[in-house]
Amino acid sequence: MYKVEVTVDDIGQTEHLHYGKVHCGDAEHVGLGSLTGRAQTMGSCLIFSITNNSIKTSKYNFFTFLPLNLFEQFQRIANAYFLFLLILQLIPQVSSLSWFTTVVPLVLVLTVSGAKDAIDDFNRHKSDNHVNNRPVQVLINGRLKDDKWMNIQVGDIIKLENNNFVTADLLLLSSSEPHSLTYIETAELDGETNLKVKQALTVTAELGENLQKLTDFNGEVKCEAPNNKLDKFTGTLTLHGEKFALDNEKMLLRGCTIRNTEWCFGLVIYAGPDTKLMQNCGKTTFKRTSIDRLMNVLVLVPKFMFYDHSLVEAVKLDDAATHRFFRLLSLCHTVMPEEKKAGNLVYQAQSPDEGALVTAARNFGFVFRARTPETITVVEMGETKVYELLAILDFNNVRKRMSVIVRSPEGDLTLYCKGADTIVYELLDASCESLKEETMEHLNEFAGEGLRTLVVAYKNLQEDYFEEWHKRHHEASTALDEREEKLSELYEEIEKDLMLLGATAIEDKLQDGVPQTIETLAKAHIKIWVLTGDKQETAVNIGYSCNMLHDDMKDVFIIEGHTSEAVLDELRTARKKMNPDSFLDSDEINIKFENPSMKSRILPEEQANGVYGLVINGHSLAYALEGNLELELVRTACMCKVVICCRVTPLQKAQVVELVKKYKKAVTLAIGDGANDVSMIKTAHIGVGISGQEGMQAVLSSDFSFAQFRYLQRLLLVHGRWSYIRMCKFLRYFFYKNFAFTLVHFWYGFFSGFSAQTVYDQWFITLYNLVYTSLPVLGMSLFDQDVDDRWSMQFPHLYEPGQQNLYFNKIEFVKCVLHGIYSSLILFFIPYGAMYDAVRSDGKAIADYQSFALMAQTCLLIVVSVQIGLDTAYWTAVNQFFIWGSLSVYFAIIFTMYSDGMYLIFTASFPFIGTARNTLSQPNVWLAIFLSIILCVLPVVGGRFLKAQLMPTVSDKVLRKIRAAKKRPPPPLPKTRLRRTSTRRSGYAFSHQHGFGALIMSGRNMRPKLPFTTTGTFSPNSEKNKHK
């Protein structure tokens, strides 16, 4: 029997779990169980509450959809208001209006919104079902049986094969690789495509794939409670009375993918919602726009480029230096090859750059084919060569380079080295001066293009010297004291007097248009923070490649303290340099936060004395997000133009977003493409998912989704801005037309003795919002645009009014109220004056209630139709049809309803018999209608003209430029690569950890394979063998 034990550190209590639930004070851990067979226990008296591996990202089910969705929708005060109004209208003693005048539009709005929410949640259910029903092999009662992911339970042993997703958080027991190594890719967890290696305990590695041994295995695991820390795991395995330490290097986390490993077995430690991936996903929240809240008060794949086409010719001409260059790239690395099919090689690398360079050598005819602990096999221009691998001088963050020492088939002994140019240049032989200058020019050119540079060099070694050096190397590598220092000295000794071969440059190929998109968004005063799991060097390189960081910045602050005090000191030092006055006692923020009685914690904007950038790593960010440092972090970060948070966990991404929401009056947008971004996407006001290679979790958790990052500028600057303008126009018009409509009743009350008699015909009241005025505003809300998409992209400043909420706010609402009051006065008293003691051409009086009501409602409808015409900036055939069609429908309906025939059929329902033909046939009525239109519209037109001339907004100024530019054809959008003025930047993205060199040389990651055949030829350029 197998037991799993959980420790809850903050309580200090532990319990044995067997498919049970343990309560430790306020904490609990659910669902740990037996190893060899399900539903087996040891007579535990614990409450049974089996936790399986199913996940749920959806919000509703069949039974909860209606109540939950209605609850969310009625959190919008507008919907709640109309519901309350409907209830009042159901009481005859309270309202003289029929209930259907409100219920029809309310039900329509709720139905459309509910349908959209239902479709979104249906897609989440589909995704959940797809994941939960993935197949997996489970060890049950001594045999492997096929099962579904959702049925996996804590304590199960499962078998995974190459390219399988990891089902749950597993303790690695054994694998097909030597020493039970397992290679994984963690793109869904941290966004990295780098190859990582995990290793099982020796005591479990001996189990292999022997099902009987796995079945008979008897032990006890004690581990921490479920948490969201992706890089940490603490536990112990007790076996035969001996205790073994467990850490994160022995864990396979859900969301990883098995690579380069035929099979492995793992024990389920955490399942379903307890896995670290799901612990980082956060909760789905109900999001409101800023307008909703006001109404309630009222986004790395390196790319190899053939930069110099002369290289192709040089290779074909057997140029010695060129061949040596590509031979170096095919030999000097720690890449692992995998041949899934004959001739189809796939490279698994610790870093994307490693894979890109080996692929580059392959494309030029130098194909890295296979490796063993002692050899590297390369196919050079179709000829197979096996090099003896004598030593790997591994990469680390201090050396910033790596070297290999190999013996060629001809017996030549050579050291090949590649690394950061600033480091390798110090190791070059004096004879390389002329080549150094020429290469320096190329490096500067590459850096100007935003590329990541690397220098390669070599050195021929003497046999006697190498034998003596190799002995000292062996002694240093087995030393018990100061091993690293001794090895470093030996590496420095042999890596001298190198001969320069050349340089490489790699582009951080995120996606097309990323630098242009970021530059455009920055012009729109959108602050961009990068939250990434990449290491600091890689993140900074991406920042430069994307034109976020540049050498014109006054400074780029690096926050990397390992204590709270160190982080606080670094943040304050940065803030003092950017704004020394922020430390004065008279500073507004200092005064505000010294007074604890002040409720608002929103920070005002602080200006820096230049352009700055900030880079902070994950362990420092953990301290900075603590209560006493978070204010310092947000003040310092918000002064910087660019903020890059690297090596952060998914939860930290969400915490940074929440921090900005807490202290800044800003709308946050989070964009990501992997499961590691889900928590951040859910936390932000707006979540955007990019559909790509890292799965659909980000897309399903987002509010918007698309395929490429560059579409973000169109989403914000075009569709987002248009949507904001349309919504603001809709709200202003909605309030205006309803205030004008309603307040006429108020003025009428003074003349009707406040009897609650309506001024309009009841059918007009019912159809006013539902038919007569609905389509024109719908047309404007769908099609209106102040400028087209090209001008919106070319003038990002047009986005600023939306950021400042200039188009609809409390002041604009008051203007709508005043406009409605003014119009209602005109719409009541002009018809009243025109009807007062008026007679027809035949001498008969027309001053009756029905004629006045018809005239007033006709004036109202024409005036609001003219107003929607004034508000429409972009006319289409649809707008024309809706406006003229609505007016036509109105006249058709009143002439029909007020006809003799309708009165005879439905006498009680249509009492206004003959009113339309009698009233609208009088010239003075049409004169009064025309006068009402002029008096209502003239102040609006005059006010807008004077405001644009005397107090133009940013939008007005840009629109003037656009009108001037429209006289000539608009220039095409820039297509060329953005260049940055920059000094040489060297930054090679090696692995995030120490290199694989020692692992490769030890042979622990190799298993016996058939030797690569030396017969025949291998053509890398044939269709069958091209790298995909």
Side-chain angles (χ1 to χ4, degrees):
M1 187 62 61
Y2 189 90
K3 295 190 293 184
V4 186
E5 186 174 291
V6 174
T7 300
V8 184
D9 295 330
D10 55 347
I11 304 296
Q13 302 178 13
T14 62
E15 296 284 351
H16 295 290
L17 305 177
H18 316 284
Y19 288 102
K21 180 184 290 185
V22 172
H23 294 271
C24 301
D26 293 331
E28 70 174 31
H29 182 74
V30 180
L32 294 137
S34 65
L35 174 71
T36 58
R38 298 181 181 177
Q40 298 182 17
T41 67
M42 297 179 63
S44 172
C45 61
L46 297 170
I47 300 173
F48 284 83
S49 179
I50 299 175
T51 297
N52 59 28
N53 197 44
S54 64
I55 62 167
K56 177 179 175 292
T57 61
S58 57
K59 295 170 61 177
Y60 318 106
N61 59 38
F62 180 80
F63 298 102
T64 63
F65 172 75
L66 194 59
L68 285 180
N69 189 259
L70 288 177
F71 174 75
E72 290 179 350
Q73 293 207 53
F74 282 119
Q75 289 185 50
R76 294 186 174 96
I77 297 300
N79 291 341
Y81 164 77
F82 283 108
L83 178 63
F84 180 70
L85 185 63
L86 173 62
I87 294 172
L88 292 179
Q89 288 179 346
L90 292 173
I91 306 173
Q93 293 80 2
V94 174
S95 174
S96 60
L97 295 176
S98 299
W99 59 269
F100 56 79
T101 61
T102 298
V103 72
V104 174
L106 178 61
V107 169
L108 182 64
V109 169
L110 296 178
T111 301
V112 172
S113 299
K116 175 188 176 297
D117 294 339
I119 292 172
D120 290 343
D121 208 57
F122 176 73
N123 289 330
R124 295 190 188 99
H125 275 284
K126 285 177 61 178
S127 174
D128 289 347
N129 290 335
H130 173 72
V131 172
N132 290 332
N133 287 284
R134 283 176 177 167
V136 65
Q137 299 180 73
V138 192
L139 181 63
I140 300 178
N141 296 324
R143 292 193 304 170
L144 284 175
K145 296 184 178 180
D146 292 332
D147 208 334
K148 299 177 180 179
W149 274 33
M150 62 181 177
N151 296 328
I152 296 302
Q153 299 162 5
V154 176
D156 284 344
I157 285 183
I158 63 176
K159 180 182 180 181
L160 299 174
E161 297 178 344
N162 195 29
N163 297 322
N164 283 171
F165 289 106
V166 177
T167 309
D169 288 355
L170 309 177
L171 171 65
L172 178 62
L173 298 178
S174 61
S175 81
S176 58
E177 303 304 298
H179 303 276
S180 281
L181 296 175
T182 299
Y183 298 95
I184 61 171
E185 183 181 283
T186 60
E188 285 199 10
L189 287 178
D190 53 21
E192 299 175 10
T193 56
N194 305 339
L195 202 63
K196 297 181 176 64
V197 63
K198 302 288 184 177
Q199 185 174 15
L201 288 169
T202 304
V203 68
T204 63
E206 298 170 352
L207 302 174
E209 58 179 336
N210 189 311
L211 299 185
Q212 189 58 47
K213 287 184 178 180
L214 288 166
T215 302
D216 296 338
F217 183 62
N218 188 355
E220 180 179 278
V221 170
K222 177 182 177 183
C223 63
E224 61 190 0
N227 58 72
N228 52 40
K229 297 178 181 178
L230 294 173
D231 57 345
K232 292 183 180 179
F233 174 79
T234 304
T236 58
L237 168 65
T238 303
L239 184 64
H240 305 310
E242 188 175 355
K243 188 176 289 187
F244 301 90
L246 302 177
D247 55 27
N248 202 50
E249 297 305 309
K250 298 169 181 63
M251 293 292 293
L252 303 177
L253 302 184
R254 178 175 182 143
C256 299
T257 306
I258 304 297
R259 300 292 191 201
N260 225 28
T261 305
E262 286 188 10
W263 55 261
C264 66
F265 284 88
L267 168 71
V268 179
I269 301 296
Y270 304 125
D274 291 340
T275 59
K276 292 182 181 289
L277 175 66
M278 298 306 295
Q279 290 278 310
N280 276 281
C281 279
K283 296 181 179 180
T284 301
T285 58
F286 178 62
K287 297 181 180 181
R288 294 189 183 95
T289 66
S290 58
I291 293 179
D292 274 339
R293 290 192 294 271
L294 178 59
M295 290 288 289
N296 286 351
V297 177
L298 296 170
V299 156
L300 186 63
V301 178
K303 177 184 177 182
F304 171 73
M305 299 178 62
F306 290 93
Y307 220 87
D308 187 350
H309 293 283
S310 62
L311 287 175
V312 180
E313 298 300 323
V315 171
K316 291 179 179 179
L317 296 174
D318 292 333
D319 180 74
T322 305
H323 275 227
R324 186 176 286 121
F325 177 87
F326 288 110
R327 183 178 295 118
L328 183 150
L329 295 184
S330 64
L331 293 171
C332 187
H333 55 78
T334 57
V335 172
M336 299 294 296
E338 180 181 5
E339 188 173 6
K340 296 183 178 180
K341 298 178 182 178
N344 182 20
L345 275 176
V346 176
Y347 294 139
Q348 302 287 352
Q350 274 187 287
S351 77
D353 287 18
E354 285 266 70
L357 291 176
V358 176
T359 301
R362 172 182 180 152
N363 291 339
F364 278 98
F366 288 76
V367 183
F368 166 57
R369 190 64 182 76
R371 74 158 69 244
T372 70
E374 297 85 20
T375 65
I376 297 177
T377 302
V378 178
V379 181
E380 298 183 358
M381 304 304 292
E383 180 183 355
T384 300
K385 291 188 177 182
V386 179
Y387 290 83
E388 184 181 356
L389 179 61
L390 301 173
I392 297 179
L393 284 58
D394 220 345
F395 165 86
N396 63 40
N397 286 324
V398 177
R399 286 169 39 78
K400 296 187 183 298
R401 65 187 184 275
M402 74 162 292
S403 301
V404 296
I405 300 175
V406 297
R407 181 178 283 112
S408 69
E410 295 77 21
D412 297 328
L413 200 61
T414 309
L415 179 146
Y416 293 107
C417 177
K418 68 180 180 185
D421 47 16
T422 53
I423 300 296
V424 176
Y425 261 45
E426 301 298 323
L427 307 175
L428 295 178
D429 187 78
S431 62
C432 299
E433 281 302 319
S434 60
L435 184 57
K436 282 173 63 176
E437 293 180 4
E438 183 179 356
T439 305
M440 181 75 73
E441 294 178 2
H442 293 156
L443 290 170
N444 290 331
E445 180 183 352
F446 294 150
E449 295 284 352
L451 305 179
R452 197 160 55 242
T453 56
L454 177 72
V455 167
V456 296
Y458 76 101
K459 177 182 180 181
N460 293 320
L461 300 176
Q462 297 297 322
E463 194 73 37
D464 294 341
Y465 168 74
F466 175 73
E467 289 296 331
E468 187 268 336
W469 180 90
H470 195 261
K471 290 179 182 179
R472 289 187 288 135
H473 177 266
H474 177 72
E475 293 173 359
S477 63
T478 56
L480 296 178
D481 298 324
E482 300 180 343
R483 178 183 301 175
E484 294 297 327
E485 291 78 3
K486 292 177 180 178
L487 286 173
S488 179
E489 290 178 4
L490 285 171
Y491 292 167
E492 292 282 347
E493 175 189 322
I494 201 169
E495 291 175 328
K496 286 183 178 179
D497 302 323
L498 302 179
M499 302 301 294
L500 179 61
L501 272 176
T504 66
I506 292 180
E507 178 185 5
D508 284 320
K509 190 64 177 177
L510 295 171
Q511 279 182 347
D512 291 337
V514 170
Q516 292 88 343
T517 299
I518 290 176
E519 183 180 55
T520 302
L521 295 180
K523 291 178 181 178
H525 295 285
I526 297 174
K527 288 194 173 182
I528 301 173
W529 292 19
V530 177
L531 311 177
T532 177
D534 288 336
K535 67 171 184 174
Q536 181 175 309
E537 183 183 47
T538 304
V540 170
N541 285 336
I542 294 173
Y544 277 108
S545 299
C546 294
N547 263 18
M548 297 173 64
L549 299 175
H550 50 82
D551 292 332
D552 294 336
M553 284 184 163
K554 211 166 184 179
D555 201 354
V556 176
F557 303 110
I558 307 294
I559 309 299
E560 50 188 355
H562 290 271
T563 64
S564 296
E565 294 75 16
V567 173
L568 179 62
D569 182 65
E570 290 174 344
L571 290 172
R572 286 183 171 173
T573 300
R575 179 159 66 90
K576 189 171 185 179
K577 182 173 182 179
M578 292 187 289
N579 187 353
D581 293 342
S582 64
F583 286 86
L584 299 177
D585 293 336
S586 57
D587 181 75
E588 179 183 355
I589 298 179
N590 294 334
I591 295 173
K592 182 174 185 176
F593 282 87
E594 285 177 3
N595 184 2
S597 63
M598 299 187 68
K599 295 182 179 180
S600 174
R601 301 183 65 84
I602 299 300
L603 298 178
E605 290 296 322
E606 296 182 274
Q607 299 299 324
N609 55 19
V611 179
Y612 295 90
L614 179 75
V615 179
I616 182 170
N617 54 41
H619 62 80
S620 301
L621 184 62
Y623 294 113
L625 290 172
E626 294 176 352
N628 57 335
L629 268 72
E630 65 176 16
L631 179 62
E632 190 65 46
L633 172 63
V634 75
R635 290 188 68 179
T636 304
C638 288
M639 286 189 197
C640 298
K641 183 177 180 181
V642 176
V643 177
I644 298 177
C645 303
C646 49
R647 302 304 284 163
V648 295
T649 66
L651 185 63
Q652 284 180 323
K653 294 181 180 182
Q655 289 174 329
V656 171
V657 175
E658 192 62 50
L659 183 68
V660 176
K661 291 171 63 177
K662 179 179 179 181
Y663 285 106
K664 303 299 290 186
K665 189 178 180 181
V667 177
T668 57
L669 181 147
I671 181 169
D673 62 354
N676 56 315
D677 301 313
V678 168
S679 184
M680 171 182 70
I681 287 172
K682 289 181 177 180
T683 304
H685 293 102
I686 305 168
V688 178
I690 299 179
S691 56
Q693 297 179 350
E694 296 181 23
M696 294 295 290
Q697 288 89 339
V699 170
L700 293 170
S701 302
S702 65
D703 305 301
F704 302 93
S705 64
F706 38 72
Q708 296 192 31
F709 180 84
R710 62 190 174 95
Y711 297 150
L712 180 62
Q713 64 176 330
R714 189 169 182 86
L715 174 70
L716 294 178
L717 303 185
V718 180
H719 297 292
R721 197 179 67 84
W722 283 349
S723 178
Y724 171 73
I725 292 174
R726 292 165 183 170
M727 180 60 69
C728 292
K729 284 187 175 183
F730 168 82
L731 291 173
R732 291 200 304 262
Y733 177 73
F734 177 84
F735 282 120
Y736 163 71
K737 74 183 181 71
N738 282 288
F739 277 123
F741 168 82
T742 304
L743 290 174
V744 171
H745 286 89
F746 179 72
W747 310 126
Y748 181 68
F750 289 98
F751 297 86
S752 64
F754 294 98
S755 61
Q757 182 184 15
T758 59
V759 68
Y760 310 118
D761 173 23
Q762 181 172 294
W763 287 104
F764 179 81
I765 295 173
T766 303
L767 300 175
Y768 177 71
N769 280 313
L770 192 62
V771 176
Y772 299 148
T773 61
S774 60
L775 291 181
V777 72
L778 177 64
M780 182 186 69
S781 301
L782 292 177
F783 303 109
D784 198 52
Q785 47 184 268
D786 53 349
V787 295
D788 63 24
D789 54 346
R790 175 177 289 273
W791 296 112
S792 295
M793 302 275 276
Q794 192 168 335
F795 292 93
H797 292 297
L798 286 170
Y799 191 75
E800 291 181 38
Q803 293 172 310
Q804 301 169 17
N805 285 326
L806 295 182
Y807 291 156
F808 189 79
N809 48 47
K810 293 178 182 178
I811 295 177
E812 291 297 320
F813 176 75
V814 171
K815 289 180 181 178
C816 292
V817 174
L818 295 176
H819 188 196
I821 293 173
Y822 169 77
S823 295
S824 68
L825 286 168
I826 299 297
L827 293 170
F828 177 77
F829 284 104
I830 293 297
Y832 177 79
M835 284 288 180
Y836 190 77
D837 290 338
V839 294
R840 297 192 317 190
S841 57
D842 58 2
K844 294 181 180 181
I846 60 171
D848 59 86
Y849 161 72
Q850 293 182 346
S851 297
F852 170 75
L854 176 63
M855 185 176 179
Q857 67 191 36
T858 303
C859 287
L860 170 67
L861 188 59
I862 295 177
V863 165
V864 297
S865 297
V866 172
Q867 182 65 45
I868 195 70
L870 291 175
D871 291 342
T872 301
Y874 182 70
W875 285 91
T876 65
V878 177
N879 297 84
Q880 297 275 5
F881 175 76
F882 282 170
I883 292 177
W884 296 111
S886 297
L887 289 172
S888 301
V889 168
Y890 166 71
F891 285 109
I893 288 176
I894 64 171
F895 275 101
T896 301
M897 289 195 306
Y898 300 169
S899 66
D900 297 347
M902 291 297 290
Y903 176 76
L904 292 175
I905 300 172
F906 306 102
T907 304
S909 300
F910 300 100
F912 281 42
I913 179 173
T915 304
R917 64 175 180 267
N918 292 333
T919 303
L920 297 181
S921 62
Q922 303 302 311
N924 61 327
V925 171
W926 286 105
L927 179 62
I929 293 174
F930 179 73
L931 182 60
S932 299
I933 296 171
I934 295 299
L935 290 176
C936 288
V937 170
L938 192 59
V940 177
V941 175
R944 291 181 181 180
F945 174 78
L946 292 175
K947 184 176 180 296
Q949 296 299 318
L950 302 178
M951 294 182 295
T953 62
V954 173
S955 183
D956 293 328
K957 295 175 182 177
V958 174
L959 288 173
R960 288 178 188 173
K961 293 181 181 178
I962 291 175
R963 282 192 290 269
K966 280 184 177 179
K967 297 177 182 178
R968 56 184 184 274
L973 294 176
K975 301 275 186 179
T976 57
R977 181 198 303 273
L978 291 175
R979 293 183 60 89
R980 59 183 184 87
T981 55
S982 150
T983 56
R984 179 162 51 95
R985 177 173 65 90
S986 174
Y988 182 65
F990 286 96
S991 63
H992 295 309
Q993 306 170 7
H994 195 280
F996 279 174
L999 192 63
I1000 292 173
M1001 294 299 294
S1002 70
R1004 289 187 293 126
N1005 66 328
M1006 308 286 183
R1007 61 174 180 269
K1009 296 180 180 179
L1010 292 175
F1012 174 69
T1013 178
T1014 57
T1015 62
T1017 59
F1018 183 93
S1019 176
N1021 296 318
S1022 67
E1023 284 299 319
K1024 181 175 78 171
N1025 299 323
K1026 281 185 178 178
H1027 179 64
K1028 297 180 181 178

